[in-house]
């Protein structure tokens, strides 16, 4: 019964329903998902996806997520190369070995 009422109201007020769904979609993204999309979009130079991901969470949360992603990626790459994270980080940034 409630489903019928909800559908009836949705038909009457479609703009409000769409707006509510859009805000719900924004809240469904967590900071790690935002960071993953943001960093991959930066790597692919996709400004639209960069802007979209940046809007999913606060700038502070995005910064934390990007930092966490960088740490995890560095650790994974270091293990793959059988090198220290410091060595891999310096190599990725084009810095001389310490």
């Amino acid at each position: 019964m409630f489903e019928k009422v909800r559908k009836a109201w949705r038909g009457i007020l479609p703009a409000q329903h769409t707006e509510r769904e859009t805000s719900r979609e924004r809240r469904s993204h967590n900071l790690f998902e935002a960071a993953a999309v943001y960093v991959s979009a930066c790597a692919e130079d996709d400004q639209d996806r960069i802007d979209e991901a940046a809007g999913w969470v606060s700038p502070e949360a995005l910064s934390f997520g990007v930092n966490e992603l960088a740490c995890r990626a560095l650790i994974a790459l270091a293990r793959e190369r059988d090198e220290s994270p410091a060595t891999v980080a310096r190599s990725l940034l084009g810095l001389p070995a310490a």
Side-chain angles (χ1 to χ4, degrees), residues 31-32 34-36 39 60-70:
L31 66 101
F32 297 116
V39 171
E60 296 82 10
L62 183 60
S63 177
F64 175 80
V66 168
N67 183 61
E68 186 66 22
L69 177 60

Side-chain angles (χ1 to χ4, degrees), residues 49-96:
R49 281 182 44 220
I50 290 169
D51 295 340
E52 179 184 2
W56 290 348
V57 295
S58 71
E60 296 82 10
L62 183 60
S63 177
F64 175 80
V66 168
N67 183 61
E68 186 66 22
L69 177 60
C71 290
R72 292 180 186 195
L74 185 62
I75 290 168
L77 191 55
R79 286 180 182 160
E80 184 179 295
R81 292 182 179 184
D82 197 27
E83 296 177 348
S84 74
T87 301
V88 173
R90 295 184 69 79
S91 172
L92 289 172
L93 294 171
L95 300 171

Side-chain angles (χ1 to χ4, degrees), residues 19-58:
E19 184 178 313
R20 212 175 305 123
E21 281 184 347
T22 303
S23 65
R24 195 177 309 137
E25 288 173 7
R26 269 189 243 127
R27 285 191 298 254
S28 69
H29 300 285
N30 68 39
L31 66 101
F32 297 116
E33 182 180 13
V37 171
Y38 182 85
V39 171
S40 63
C42 286
E44 296 169 356
D45 198 26
D46 185 341
Q47 189 62 47
D48 291 337
R49 281 182 44 220
I50 290 169
D51 295 340
E52 179 184 2
W56 290 348
V57 295
S58 71

